[in-house]
Amino acid sequence: MKQFMIKNGLVVAGGAIQGLGMGLFLFPHFIPSGGAGGIAVLLNYWFNMDMGIGLWIVNFSMLLLAVTYLGKRVTLWTIIGITVTSISIQLFEQIHIPNRNIFYDLVFGSVLLGTGIGLLMRQGVSNGGVGVIALIIASGKNISPGQPLFWINCCIFLITAVIIDWKIILLALTSQWISTRIIDLICQVTFHQSYTLGWRKKP
Protein backbone atom coordinates (compact mmCIF):
# COMPACT_ATOMS: atom_id res chain seq x y z
CA MET A 1 0.00 0.00 0.00
CA LYS A 2 2.82 2.39 0.83
CA GLN A 3 4.47 1.73 -2.53
CA PHE A 4 1.11 2.26 -4.26
CA MET A 5 0.57 5.62 -2.50
CA ILE A 6 4.09 6.79 -3.39
CA LYS A 7 3.55 5.83 -7.03
CA ASN A 8 0.17 7.56 -7.07
CA GLY A 9 1.69 10.74 -5.63
CA LEU A 10 4.51 10.75 -8.19
CA VAL A 11 2.12 10.19 -11.10
CA VAL A 12 -0.15 13.03 -9.96
CA ALA A 13 2.88 15.28 -9.36
CA GLY A 14 4.32 14.41 -12.78
CA GLY A 15 1.04 15.20 -14.53
CA ALA A 16 0.60 18.48 -12.63
CA ILE A 17 4.18 19.65 -13.26
CA GLN A 18 3.87 18.78 -16.95
CA GLY A 19 0.59 20.73 -17.12
CA LEU A 20 2.22 23.70 -15.39
CA GLY A 21 5.01 23.85 -17.96
CA MET A 22 2.57 23.64 -20.86
CA GLY A 23 -0.31 25.80 -19.67
CA LEU A 24 1.64 28.63 -18.01
CA PHE A 25 4.77 28.88 -20.16
CA LEU A 26 4.65 27.04 -23.51
CA PHE A 27 1.08 27.14 -24.83
CA PRO A 28 0.67 30.95 -24.48
CA HIS A 29 3.35 31.19 -27.22
CA PHE A 30 1.81 28.29 -29.20
CA ILE A 31 4.97 26.25 -28.57
CA PRO A 32 4.09 22.54 -28.93
CA SER A 33 5.11 20.60 -25.85
CA GLY A 34 5.43 17.40 -27.84
CA GLY A 35 3.70 15.39 -30.51
CA ALA A 36 0.34 15.41 -28.74
CA GLY A 37 0.89 19.08 -27.84
CA GLY A 38 1.62 19.84 -31.49
CA ILE A 39 -1.64 18.21 -32.54
CA ALA A 40 -3.47 20.11 -29.78
CA VAL A 41 -2.00 23.37 -31.12
CA LEU A 42 -3.28 22.45 -34.60
CA LEU A 43 -6.75 21.69 -33.23
CA ASN A 44 -6.75 25.06 -31.47
CA TYR A 45 -5.56 26.78 -34.67
CA TRP A 46 -8.18 25.12 -36.88
CA PHE A 47 -11.19 24.80 -34.56
CA ASN A 48 -10.40 27.16 -31.65
CA MET A 49 -10.58 24.10 -29.39
CA ASP A 50 -9.30 24.53 -25.84
CA MET A 51 -5.80 23.04 -25.83
CA GLY A 52 -6.32 21.19 -22.55
CA ILE A 53 -9.35 19.41 -24.03
CA GLY A 54 -7.59 18.85 -27.35
CA LEU A 55 -4.60 17.33 -25.58
CA TRP A 56 -6.84 15.00 -23.58
CA ILE A 57 -8.60 13.83 -26.78
CA VAL A 58 -5.30 13.12 -28.54
CA ASN A 59 -3.91 11.34 -25.49
CA PHE A 60 -7.04 9.26 -24.99
CA SER A 61 -6.95 8.12 -28.62
CA MET A 62 -3.53 6.53 -27.99
CA LEU A 63 -4.69 4.43 -25.05
CA LEU A 64 -5.60 1.48 -27.30
CA LEU A 65 -1.89 1.08 -28.03
CA ALA A 66 -1.11 1.33 -24.35
CA VAL A 67 -3.61 -1.44 -23.53
CA THR A 68 -2.25 -3.67 -26.30
CA TYR A 69 1.47 -3.26 -25.72
CA LEU A 70 1.94 -1.92 -22.19
CA GLY A 71 -0.87 -3.61 -20.28
CA LYS A 72 -3.96 -2.52 -18.38
CA ARG A 73 -2.12 -1.22 -15.31
CA VAL A 74 0.06 1.15 -17.36
CA THR A 75 -3.03 2.27 -19.28
CA LEU A 76 -4.88 3.07 -16.05
CA TRP A 77 -1.94 5.06 -14.69
CA THR A 78 -1.65 6.83 -18.05
CA ILE A 79 -5.32 7.87 -17.87
CA ILE A 80 -4.67 9.33 -14.43
CA GLY A 81 -1.57 11.15 -15.64
CA ILE A 82 -3.12 12.70 -18.75
CA THR A 83 -6.28 13.70 -16.86
CA VAL A 84 -4.24 15.51 -14.20
CA THR A 85 -2.16 17.13 -16.96
CA SER A 86 -5.24 18.35 -18.87
CA ILE A 87 -6.86 19.76 -15.72
CA SER A 88 -3.59 21.49 -14.80
CA ILE A 89 -3.31 23.03 -18.27
CA GLN A 90 -6.83 24.44 -18.06
CA LEU A 91 -6.13 25.91 -14.61
CA PHE A 92 -2.74 27.42 -15.44
CA GLU A 93 -3.93 28.84 -18.78
CA GLN A 94 -6.13 31.18 -16.75
CA ILE A 95 -3.07 32.84 -15.22
CA HIS A 96 -1.86 35.83 -17.23
CA ILE A 97 1.74 36.94 -16.78
CA PRO A 98 2.40 40.58 -17.80
CA ASN A 99 5.43 41.48 -19.90
CA ARG A 100 6.21 37.90 -20.84
CA ASN A 101 9.65 36.98 -22.14
CA ILE A 102 9.53 34.14 -24.66
CA PHE A 103 13.09 33.00 -23.85
CA TYR A 104 12.41 32.66 -20.11
CA ASP A 105 9.05 31.01 -20.78
CA LEU A 106 10.71 28.57 -23.19
CA VAL A 107 13.37 27.54 -20.68
CA PHE A 108 11.11 27.37 -17.61
CA GLY A 109 8.36 25.60 -19.52
CA SER A 110 10.73 23.05 -21.04
CA VAL A 111 12.41 22.24 -17.71
CA LEU A 112 9.02 21.75 -16.04
CA LEU A 113 7.77 19.72 -19.00
CA GLY A 114 10.80 17.42 -18.89
CA THR A 115 10.54 17.06 -15.11
CA GLY A 116 6.87 16.09 -15.30
CA ILE A 117 7.35 13.59 -18.14
CA GLY A 118 10.47 12.22 -16.49
CA LEU A 119 8.61 11.55 -13.23
CA LEU A 120 5.90 9.72 -15.16
CA MET A 121 8.27 7.64 -17.26
CA ARG A 122 10.46 6.98 -14.24
CA GLN A 123 7.41 5.18 -12.87
CA GLY A 124 6.94 3.32 -16.18
CA VAL A 125 3.88 5.45 -16.97
CA SER A 126 3.38 7.07 -20.36
CA ASN A 127 2.65 10.79 -20.51
CA GLY A 128 0.06 9.95 -23.17
CA GLY A 129 0.02 10.73 -26.87
CA VAL A 130 3.20 9.76 -28.69
CA GLY A 131 4.77 9.12 -25.29
CA VAL A 132 2.97 5.76 -25.48
CA ILE A 133 4.89 4.92 -28.65
CA ALA A 134 8.15 6.16 -27.13
CA LEU A 135 7.65 3.99 -24.03
CA ILE A 136 6.88 0.94 -26.20
CA ILE A 137 10.07 1.49 -28.21
CA ALA A 138 12.13 2.15 -25.08
CA SER A 139 10.91 -0.98 -23.30
CA GLY A 140 11.57 -3.10 -26.39
CA LYS A 141 15.04 -1.77 -27.20
CA ASN A 142 16.39 -1.16 -23.66
CA ILE A 143 16.99 2.53 -24.26
CA SER A 144 15.94 5.72 -22.53
CA PRO A 145 12.44 6.88 -23.63
CA GLY A 146 13.76 10.39 -24.28
CA GLN A 147 15.44 9.38 -27.54
CA PRO A 148 12.46 7.97 -29.50
CA LEU A 149 10.22 10.66 -28.00
CA PHE A 150 12.47 13.37 -29.44
CA TRP A 151 12.46 12.01 -33.00
CA ILE A 152 8.74 11.27 -33.12
CA ASN A 153 7.97 14.76 -31.86
CA CYS A 154 10.29 16.33 -34.44
CA CYS A 155 8.18 14.89 -37.26
CA ILE A 156 4.99 16.34 -35.80
CA PHE A 157 6.70 19.69 -35.20
CA LEU A 158 7.63 19.84 -38.88
CA ILE A 159 3.98 19.43 -39.88
CA THR A 160 2.93 22.08 -37.34
CA ALA A 161 5.56 24.49 -38.65
CA VAL A 162 4.45 24.04 -42.27
CA ILE A 163 0.82 24.75 -41.37
CA ILE A 164 1.17 27.52 -38.77
CA ASP A 165 4.59 29.18 -38.70
CA TRP A 166 8.15 28.02 -39.40
CA LYS A 167 9.54 29.78 -36.34
CA ILE A 168 7.47 27.38 -34.22
CA ILE A 169 9.72 24.48 -35.18
CA LEU A 170 12.79 26.31 -33.85
CA LEU A 171 11.09 27.00 -30.54
CA ALA A 172 9.65 23.47 -30.39
CA LEU A 173 12.98 21.79 -31.15
CA THR A 174 14.72 23.89 -28.50
CA SER A 175 12.01 22.98 -26.02
CA GLN A 176 12.34 19.30 -26.92
CA TRP A 177 16.12 19.36 -26.59
CA ILE A 178 15.87 20.84 -23.08
CA SER A 179 12.99 18.63 -21.94
CA THR A 180 14.45 15.36 -23.29
CA ARG A 181 17.73 16.08 -21.50
CA ILE A 182 15.76 16.42 -18.27
CA ILE A 183 13.78 13.25 -19.04
CA ASP A 184 16.95 11.26 -19.66
CA LEU A 185 18.51 12.55 -16.43
CA ILE A 186 15.49 11.47 -14.41
CA CYS A 187 15.29 8.09 -16.17
CA GLN A 188 19.06 7.51 -15.93
CA VAL A 189 18.90 5.17 -12.94
CA THR A 190 18.13 1.50 -13.59
CA PHE A 191 14.83 0.68 -12.01
CA HIS A 192 12.00 -1.77 -11.66
CA GLN A 193 8.66 -1.11 -10.01
CA SER A 194 6.18 -3.84 -9.19
CA TYR A 195 3.34 -1.83 -10.75
CA THR A 196 5.26 -0.73 -13.84
CA LEU A 197 7.51 -1.77 -16.66
CA GLY A 198 11.17 -2.11 -15.88
CA TRP A 199 14.10 -1.67 -18.23
CA ARG A 200 17.84 -1.38 -18.10
CA LYS A 201 19.45 1.42 -20.00
CA LYS A 202 22.34 0.28 -22.14
CA PRO A 203 25.72 1.51 -20.88
Side-chain angles (χ1 to χ4, degrees), residues 83-149:
T83 301
V84 172
T85 297
S86 296
I87 292 172
S88 297
I89 290 172
Q90 288 186 295
L91 291 175
F92 289 117
E93 277 184 329
Q94 308 306 313
I95 300 175
H96 299 286
I97 301 176
N99 303 317
R100 306 191 72 118
N101 183 296
I102 190 170
F103 174 77
Y104 293 144
D105 284 358
L106 177 65
V107 173
F108 291 148
S110 300
V111 170
L112 289 168
L113 174 67
T115 301
I117 295 175
L119 286 174
L120 292 172
M121 290 190 165
R122 180 68 176 77
Q123 294 300 309
V125 178
S126 169
N127 65 313
V130 297
V132 172
I133 301 174
L135 200 58
I136 291 171
I137 295 172
S139 62
K141 293 185 175 295
N142 261 357
I143 60 175
S144 168
Q147 298 176 37
L149 186 64

Side-chain angles (χ1 to χ4, degrees), residues 164-178:
I164 300 180
D165 193 334
W166 276 100
K167 72 179 181 182
I168 288 177
I169 194 171
L170 299 177
L171 297 172
L173 287 175
T174 302
S175 175
Q176 279 298 291
W177 185 86
I178 295 172

Side-chain angles (χ1 to χ4, degrees), residues 110 150 154 157 171-184:
S110 300
F150 177 81
C154 284
F157 293 156
L171 297 172
L173 287 175
T174 302
S175 175
Q176 279 298 291
W177 185 86
I178 295 172
S179 62
T180 51
R181 297 289 76 75
I182 300 296
I183 293 170
D184 284 341

